[in-house]
Amino acid sequence: MQVSYETFGCNDGNVFFMGIDHGNTNEAVFEFDSIYGVHYPGISGLQGGGNAVHLQYNIMATPTIVVITPDKLIANQQISPPSTTNVVAAITSAGGIQQSCLTTVDLAKFDDILTLGPNPVTNELTIYIDKEIELSKVDVRIISSHGEMVFKKTYVKLTQPAIRMNVSSLKTGIYIVEVCNGSTLFVRHKILISR
């Protein structure tokens, strides 16, 4: 799924990927995603509404891959076997357009110089910036598991080794944090807000 997610633009194109859990908590989904390197959004069954999605679309087995069109119709109930080739073919036949992610920088190169913490976070999220990198301007975006941008701020002429953000107004759940400069994405991490 991760490769297919990247093949269709990392949720920046006309295809939106979301992992929908059945029966688990936000913490369990976050732990699974952390262990297996999942970068696309995910929602839990118990706290994020995943159980209702399973019921609405009559999803009988998990794990499974379902393609849902913008008009909320199922284009493909189950992609089997769930290989990258089959997932890409099913999404393309439903109108998905392949494109590169907006990333123009190797994200792994920046993992050590831009880090986020704590994770899970309660009230204040900090982005730590290594003293050796010079950033004159960065945009920080927080995106909900439903794809809604819930926070966006531009920081100019960074003189501190860290950016601190109050996230106490955000609901408990899983979010994506992106740190970028124009079209260059430096960091894209999942965070869990837990209270």
Side-chain angles (χ1 to χ4, degrees):
M1 282 300 295
Q2 185 65 37
V3 173
S4 299
Y5 166 71
E6 293 170 7
T7 299
F8 289 95
C10 301
N11 287 356
D12 291 321
N14 77 332
V15 177
F16 189 82
F17 281 77
M18 179 179 293
I20 300 175
D21 174 76
H22 184 267
N24 281 310
T25 63
N26 288 337
E27 288 83 5
V29 171
F30 183 79
E31 182 179 357
F32 176 89
D33 292 351
S34 297
I35 291 169
Y36 294 101
V38 175
H39 295 290
Y40 51 86
I43 61 171
S44 70
L46 297 176
Q47 296 168 307
N51 289 349
V53 174
H54 275 254
L55 184 62
Q56 178 180 353
Y57 287 100
N58 198 27
I59 298 171
M60 303 303 284
T62 58
T64 189
I65 300 170
V66 179
V67 178
I68 302 172
T69 62
D71 54 359
K72 300 182 182 178
L73 298 175
I74 293 180
N76 195 313
Q77 180 71 34
Q78 182 172 350
I79 300 171
S80 184
S83 66
T84 300
T85 301
N86 290 345
V87 171
V88 168
I91 293 170
T92 301
S93 70
I97 299 171
Q98 295 183 30
Q99 70 175 54
S100 298
C101 298
L102 293 179
T103 304
T104 57
V105 174
D106 179 7
L107 289 178
K109 178 181 175 184
F110 287 94
D111 275 347
D112 294 334
I113 57 178
L114 292 168
T115 56
L116 306 176
N119 199 3
V121 61
T122 303
N123 294 315
E124 185 176 80
L125 177 66
T126 304
I127 299 174
Y128 301 96
I129 303 168
D130 187 282
K131 62 185 175 188
E132 295 185 16
I133 186 172
E134 291 184 26
L135 295 174
S136 59
K137 175 184 166 186
V138 295
D139 294 312
V140 177
R141 300 183 294 239
I142 301 178
I143 302 160
S144 76
S145 61
H146 302 289
E148 176 186 1
M149 189 177 314
V150 294
F151 177 92
K152 182 177 180 182
K153 187 169 181 181
T154 300
Y155 296 87
V156 181
K157 296 188 181 183
L158 298 173
T159 57
Q160 302 287 329
I163 297 171
R164 288 180 174 73
M165 295 172 290
N166 184 330
V167 294
S168 61
S169 64
L170 299 179
K171 296 177 183 176
T172 296
I174 299 170
Y175 295 83
I176 303 280
V177 177
E178 296 180 336
V179 179
C180 56
N181 182 348
S183 64
T184 302
L185 180 64
F186 293 115
V187 174
R188 176 182 275 148
H189 281 296
K190 269 189 187 174
I191 62 165
L192 172 63
I193 295 180
S194 180
R195 296 194 176 81

